[in-house]
Amino acid sequence: MAYSNNYLSREESTAIKGLLIFLIILGHNAVLTQSVKSIMPFLYLFHVKLFFIIPFLYKVKTNTFKVSLEKNFIRLYYPYLIFFIFLSILYYFTSKVINDPHQIAKNLLSIQDNEILFFFNTILTGNPYLIDYFTGYQFLWFLPVMFSLNIVKNQLQDNKTARAIILALGFIFYIVFYSITLTPELTKIQFCTMLFSPFAIAQAVAMYFLGYVCSKILLNTKYNKVINIVGTILFVALSVFLVYNLSINHHFIKESSLGAIYRFAMPFLAMGIVYTFKEKISKVRVFRALGEVSLPLYIFSTLICTVFYLIFKKIDAITPLNGIIAQVLIMLVSYYFVKLFYKLPFIYNKIFPQTLDCIKVKFSRKAE
């Protein structure tokens, strides 16, 4: 059954989330990304960003600011706080043993004299550099950004003037955060902006630009078919070109003069091809299963990826073939871990209070 007045059916939305979770696990699967260097820089152009476009394909009733704030805080920011504190404590005791090979803050030494201050700043801002510094991971950045994005989207649904201002600002932030090739100077600008951006509002505004503009392009009924066909061809052509060059030099996107264009355009093109084939994607049972538990799976699968990486690294088995084996094992273990975890409501409900009932319904439907 389709959501009323939405552009994605229930099955399509769930399956697309499952596909994205599959790609995210692929990007976090260090057994594979460390042996096939082209995978990570290619996937990181778009895989997480598509999650921020999906909300714009739903026609959601406008809530009051208070209702929107409470709902999204419980669903997104509360789990962020729980996992940030937990992983910070874990990393404090295991940093010499466990290191994420994708870590971005290894050289962030300037904050060591004021770690407590920066720790609380991370709680307030969701700064990905600081999240990485304190936890050894950066994936939790998604939760504060989605939290603020949902609130901004809700507040701007009926305010055209404010929307135009936010879109203009979002365009600038999207360029600065997600398009221009990082340099030491730009990294410093990003870090300082995020340092004074409560609840990751700057990144959320950037994602608002991405989601709003992309949805308007995809849902343009007059040129919809032409746009989708052209977008699909462009995505396939660019993907083949990029993967080929990344296989030769995995720093190709950083070093290419067209790097900013790739970063800017690929999320739009990737969402176009996903939207074009949404019905076919919705028929893939694996994607539907993964999509039903996308939020807890996003979190736990990343941690499980680390476990598999440590195991395969210990036995000196970081190869492409073992990366594929690890991908299958990580998905299976992560999925059934979440499925088992939801059967412990006294724990699960303390972490994901708004998703437990939904997951119960989904799993009960599958059992029937």
Side-chain angles (χ1 to χ4, degrees), residues 165-234:
I165 295 172
I166 293 299
L167 284 172
L169 190 60
F171 172 75
I172 296 172
F173 281 143
Y174 186 72
I175 294 290
V176 173
F177 289 140
Y178 305 111
S179 186
I180 299 175
T181 300
L182 288 176
T183 62
E185 293 77 16
L186 183 59
T187 300
K188 186 175 181 179
I189 292 172
Q190 284 188 349
F191 177 76
C192 291
T193 302
M194 294 172 180
L195 201 62
F196 298 99
S197 175
F199 308 108
I201 188 66
Q203 300 99 295
V205 169
M207 290 305 176
Y208 182 84
F209 164 80
L210 171 66
Y212 184 86
V213 173
C214 186
S215 67
K216 290 301 179 183
I217 295 172
L218 291 177
L219 304 175
N220 187 316
T221 55
K222 186 175 181 181
Y223 301 107
N224 187 271
K225 290 184 178 180
V226 174
I227 289 172
N228 289 343
I229 292 172
V230 172
T232 299
I233 294 172
L234 275 175

Side-chain angles (χ1 to χ4, degrees), residues 299-365:
I299 294 173
F300 290 119
S301 67
T302 306
L303 306 179
I304 292 170
C305 280
T306 300
V307 174
F308 275 90
Y309 173 69
L310 292 173
I311 293 172
F312 279 82
K313 185 180 180 182
K314 184 71 174 179
I315 61 177
D316 195 24
I318 307 296
T319 67
L321 178 59
N322 288 333
I324 295 172
I325 294 172
Q327 178 73 13
V328 175
L329 292 175
I330 290 166
M331 288 195 301
L332 288 173
V333 173
S334 301
Y335 176 76
Y336 284 105
F337 177 84
V338 171
K339 188 174 181 179
L340 176 65
F341 196 47
Y342 105 91
K343 293 182 179 179
L344 305 172
F346 59 95
I347 299 177
Y348 195 102
N349 198 40
K350 300 297 182 182
I351 302 174
F352 303 104
Q354 277 206 348
T355 63
L356 180 62
D357 291 337
C358 182
I359 290 176
K360 281 183 177 179
V361 171
K362 289 172 180 175
F363 280 130
S364 64
R365 284 176 179 169

Side-chain angles (χ1 to χ4, degrees), residues 82-110:
I82 294 292
F83 280 100
F84 173 67
I85 293 172
F86 168 74
L87 290 176
S88 295
I89 295 172
L90 181 66
Y91 187 63
Y92 179 82
F93 292 104
T94 64
S95 59
K96 293 182 179 179
V97 179
I98 300 176
N99 282 294
D100 181 1
H102 302 149
Q103 194 171 2
I104 61 174
K106 292 179 180 178
N107 298 319
L108 194 62
L109 303 177
S110 59

Side-chain angles (χ1 to χ4, degrees), residues 26-318:
L26 197 67
H28 289 168
N29 176 8
V31 181
L32 190 59
T33 60
Q34 293 297 297
S35 55
V36 184
K37 298 290 187 178
S38 61
I39 291 177
M40 182 179 162
F42 175 69
L43 288 178
Y44 274 64
L45 288 172
F46 60 86
H47 66 343
V48 177
K49 295 183 181 70
L50 300 199
F51 266 110
F52 297 106
I53 300 173
I54 292 176
F56 290 85
L57 301 177
Y58 305 146
K59 289 185 176 179
V60 181
K61 181 180 178 181
T62 305
N63 292 313
T64 64
F65 177 77
K66 181 181 178 181
V67 170
S68 179
L69 179 64
E70 290 176 350
K71 177 181 176 181
N72 286 288
F73 184 88
I74 293 172
R75 188 170 70 90
L76 294 164
Y77 215 87
Y78 174 75
Y80 162 69
L81 295 176
I82 294 292
F83 280 100
F84 173 67
I85 293 172
F86 168 74
L87 290 176
S88 295
I89 295 172
L90 181 66
Y91 187 63
Y92 179 82
F93 292 104
T94 64
S95 59
K96 293 182 179 179
V97 179
I98 300 176
N99 282 294
D100 181 1
H102 302 149
Q103 194 171 2
I104 61 174
K106 292 179 180 178
N107 298 319
L108 194 62
L109 303 177
S110 59
I111 72 170
Q112 290 182 346
D113 294 333
N114 295 289
E115 284 189 337
I116 295 178
L117 177 63
F118 282 104
F119 182 84
F120 285 102
N121 178 275
T122 315
I123 289 176
L124 177 65
T125 65
N127 185 322
Y129 292 99
L130 291 178
I131 292 173
D132 193 57
Y133 178 85
F134 287 110
T135 70
Y137 295 97
Q138 53 182 300
F139 71 94
L140 288 177
W141 73 274
F142 171 86
L143 298 175
V145 177
M146 184 62 83
F147 162 76
S148 290
L149 174 66
N150 286 340
I151 295 173
V152 170
K153 179 177 177 293
N154 178 77
Q155 295 305 115
L156 296 181
Q157 286 191 90
D158 302 317
N159 193 329
K160 294 183 179 180
T161 302
R163 185 193 304 149
I165 295 172
I166 293 299
L167 284 172
L169 190 60
F171 172 75
I172 296 172
F173 281 143
Y174 186 72
I175 294 290
V176 173
F177 289 140
Y178 305 111
S179 186
I180 299 175
T181 300
L182 288 176
T183 62
E185 293 77 16
L186 183 59
T187 300
K188 186 175 181 179
I189 292 172
Q190 284 188 349
F191 177 76
C192 291
T193 302
M194 294 172 180
L195 201 62
F196 298 99
S197 175
F199 308 108
I201 188 66
Q203 300 99 295
V205 169
M207 290 305 176
Y208 182 84
F209 164 80
L210 171 66
Y212 184 86
V213 173
C214 186
S215 67
K216 290 301 179 183
I217 295 172
L218 291 177
L219 304 175
N220 187 316
T221 55
K222 186 175 181 181
Y223 301 107
N224 187 271
K225 290 184 178 180
V226 174
I227 289 172
N228 289 343
I229 292 172
V230 172
T232 299
I233 294 172
L234 275 175
F235 179 80
V236 172
L238 266 181
S239 297
V240 171
F241 176 77
L242 285 173
V243 171
Y244 171 76
N245 283 281
L246 287 169
S247 65
I248 299 172
N249 174 16
H250 64 275
H251 295 299
F252 173 75
I253 296 173
K254 293 181 180 179
E255 297 173 355
S256 171
S257 59
L258 299 176
I261 295 176
Y262 299 142
R263 288 194 178 91
F264 185 95
M266 285 300 280
F268 292 92
L269 297 175
M271 192 66 219
I273 196 170
V274 167
Y275 189 75
T276 299
F277 295 100
K278 60 184 184 297
E279 291 184 16
K280 294 185 182 298
I281 294 171
S282 69
K283 295 177 182 178
V284 180
R285 187 175 178 180
V286 172
F287 293 156
R288 293 202 306 271
L290 296 176
E292 286 170 349
V293 289
S294 58
L295 178 57
L297 196 59
Y298 172 79
I299 294 173
F300 290 119
S301 67
T302 306
L303 306 179
I304 292 170
C305 280
T306 300
V307 174
F308 275 90
Y309 173 69
L310 292 173
I311 293 172
F312 279 82
K313 185 180 180 182
K314 184 71 174 179
I315 61 177
D316 195 24
I318 307 296

